Amino acid sequence: MNMQAISSEAAATANPASFVSSRRWLLWSGIAALCAWVLVPIYLVALGALGGRQGVYIWPKTGLPTGISLEPFILFLQTEGVVRSFLNSLGAAGITVALSILLGAPAGYALARYNFPGKDSYRLLVLLTRAFPLAILALPLTVSFIRLGLYDTIVGVGLIHTVLALPFAALVTQGIFLGVPKELEEAAWVFGCTRIQAFFKVVAPLALPGIVATAVFAFVISWNEVFAASVLTVRNRTLTAYLLTVLSESPMHYRFAGGLMLILPSVVFIFAVRRYLFAIWGISSK
């Protein structure tokens, strides 16, 4: 084994250009495979949504499809309740993102900067909140929401989704703030900044890409969640809950249109904040 390792190292040293070329080829092959893993399913869903019945059942799938039309997707959007449920999902996701950042970021900052008794236990308890299946809490949550007047409201759905996203938001932002040197804050204090001013002027700009990534995570959790939205709403359903109840007996291309409707907002949201996501890895984007 030692001789083989020595010989491989000697070969790489003898021909460095070939070694670099091989590594580059493996890198681009991995990137291509990852892109295919993500984009091919989206392409197939779009083909089924925009191609009508023929686009769903045609096989083999063509690289450049013919007969693509927006009419099936427009007909789906004109279905009663679709636009309303779409707006409900956006509202619940917006509440989830706002509360997850407003509550999770301070909690993550406190975990990163301060030492207090029970800190490790607190971190564990935050994570264990996700260990309880939501189905067990469905009945008490429904009763509590009815008493509080939050049943069948987007605010109630947003609060439940915040509970689902908040533990991860706190723990992720903790890691983000740990990556910001504390010496920078101390330097700001020396120059006359208060703790709050140092946070907003020094820490927050450096942690912004990670906070945006946390916001994307919270948005996706809320947008894809279906169980709580189905249990806690009747008339004001989110898009996932609406599609679950309405499209079970619909034509297949309508189901694909619903799937495309679920995919597009997440893609648009991630694309809108891509510059902050790329900044995590030091990649510039304009």
Side-chain angles (χ1 to χ4, degrees):
M1 295 296 294
N2 292 334
M3 294 299 296
Q4 292 180 355
I6 293 173
S7 62
S8 299
E9 184 178 355
T13 305
N15 193 1
S18 176
F19 179 71
V20 172
S21 177
S22 299
R23 290 187 58 182
R24 184 176 301 173
W25 183 86
L26 289 175
L27 174 63
W28 285 107
S29 298
I31 293 174
L34 182 61
C35 290
W37 178 268
V38 174
L39 296 178
V40 169
I42 297 177
Y43 168 76
L44 294 177
V45 170
L47 183 63
L50 303 178
R53 295 181 183 272
Q54 183 180 3
V56 174
Y57 295 107
I58 188 174
W59 187 261
K61 303 296 184 182
T62 57
L64 296 175
T66 58
I68 293 297
S69 174
L70 293 176
E71 183 177 356
F73 192 69
I74 293 175
L75 290 176
F76 167 76
L77 293 177
Q78 292 174 347
T79 303
E80 183 180 359
V82 170
V83 175
R84 182 180 180 183
S85 61
F86 176 79
L87 295 177
N88 290 339
S89 288
L90 285 180
I95 294 173
T96 303
V97 170
L99 292 180
S100 296
I101 298 302
L102 291 177
L103 299 177
Y109 180 81
L111 289 172
R113 287 291 188 262
Y114 300 103
N115 292 320
F116 51 88
K119 177 179 177 179
D120 294 335
S121 300
Y122 175 76
R123 263 192 310 221
L124 182 61
L125 288 175
V126 167
L127 191 60
L128 285 178
T129 56
R130 289 304 309 263
F132 294 95
L134 194 59
I136 297 177
L137 304 176
L139 182 58
L141 279 175
T142 301
V143 174
S144 299
F145 274 41
I146 290 175
R147 291 177 178 175
L148 295 172
L150 294 175
Y151 186 77
D152 200 19
T153 64
I154 298 305
V155 174
V157 176
L159 291 176
I160 293 299
H161 291 175
T162 301
V163 172
L164 298 177
L166 191 57
F168 292 109
L171 296 180
V172 170
T173 52
Q174 177 196 2
I176 294 168
F177 290 125
L178 283 173
V180 179
K182 189 176 181 180
E183 291 77 9
L184 297 178
E185 286 185 87
E186 294 174 347
W189 299 342
V190 170
F191 285 103
C193 289
T194 63
R195 288 182 177 270
I196 296 178
Q197 289 175 337
F199 176 81
F200 284 105
K201 292 183 178 181
V202 177
V203 179
L206 295 175
L208 184 59
I211 293 175
V212 171
T214 305
V216 171
F217 181 78
F219 181 90
V220 172
I221 284 182
S222 176
W223 187 262
N224 293 333
E225 201 282 326
V226 61
F227 180 79
S230 299
V231 172
L232 299 176
T233 57
V234 176
R235 296 183 300 272
N236 296 315
R237 292 192 178 277
T238 60
L239 186 60
T240 51
Y242 179 82
L243 295 179
L244 181 66
T245 57
V246 171
L247 293 184
S248 58
E249 303 297 331
S250 300
M252 189 62 70
H253 61 284
Y254 267 60
R255 300 186 192 183
F256 276 94
L260 184 62
M261 190 75 170
L262 287 174
I263 292 172
L264 286 179
S266 296
V267 174
V268 172
F269 182 74
I270 293 173
F271 183 80
V273 299
R274 70 191 187 282
R275 56 177 299 192
Y276 302 104
L277 298 178
F278 291 156
I280 298 176
W281 295 279
I283 304 174
S284 62
S285 176
K286 297 181 179 180

